[in-house]
Amino acid sequence: MRAVRAAYLAALIQGLGVTWPVLSGLLLFKASLGAIVGVIEGWGVWQGVYFAYITGLTIGYGDLAPRQALTQLLAVVIGFSGAVLTGLVAALAVKAIQAVPRPSSDNA
């Protein structure tokens, strides 16, 4: 069982290494949009970044809600980028699972 976990973790880390430029770009894109929303709405940069990640992860506490048309549009873009980020991480996890060697079922 330990070997299976180690193989999974190694494959996941390898996948993260390959896709890190895309992942980091998405994270930076989301943080930048959140900062812009925060400044426009008067929340501040860090509250905007917080809003972007809560919205992008589809948690959406509702403690911050954009009121202007531009920031509402940006919130939709943040939501879609969160879906892309979540899909990419899920795909990496599935690919890592597929990379784990399966025990043979031959008993002979």
Side-chain angles (χ1 to χ4, degrees):
M1 190 60 144
R2 181 172 271 174
V4 171
R5 287 186 191 135
Y8 172 77
L9 186 58
L12 184 62
I13 289 171
Q14 181 185 12
L16 286 171
V18 170
T19 60
W20 182 246
V22 175
L23 284 172
S24 61
L26 279 170
L27 292 170
L28 184 62
F29 176 71
K30 187 184 299 202
S32 299
L33 285 181
I36 291 168
V37 168
V39 168
I40 292 172
E41 287 290 335
W43 301 333
V45 171
W46 292 114
Q47 287 287 80
V49 172
Y50 160 80
F51 166 77
Y53 282 96
I54 295 301
T55 300
L57 293 171
T58 68
I59 298 169
Y61 293 130
D63 54 343
L64 297 173
R67 302 202 184 276
Q68 299 179 34
L70 174 61
T71 54
Q72 289 173 346
L73 178 65
L74 290 175
V76 171
V77 174
I78 290 168
F80 279 121
S81 72
V84 170
L85 183 64
T86 301
L88 183 57
V89 171
L92 286 173
V94 168
K95 187 73 173 167
I97 288 171
Q98 292 173 342
V100 173
R102 307 264 184 250
S104 68
S105 60
D106 294 338
N107 292 332

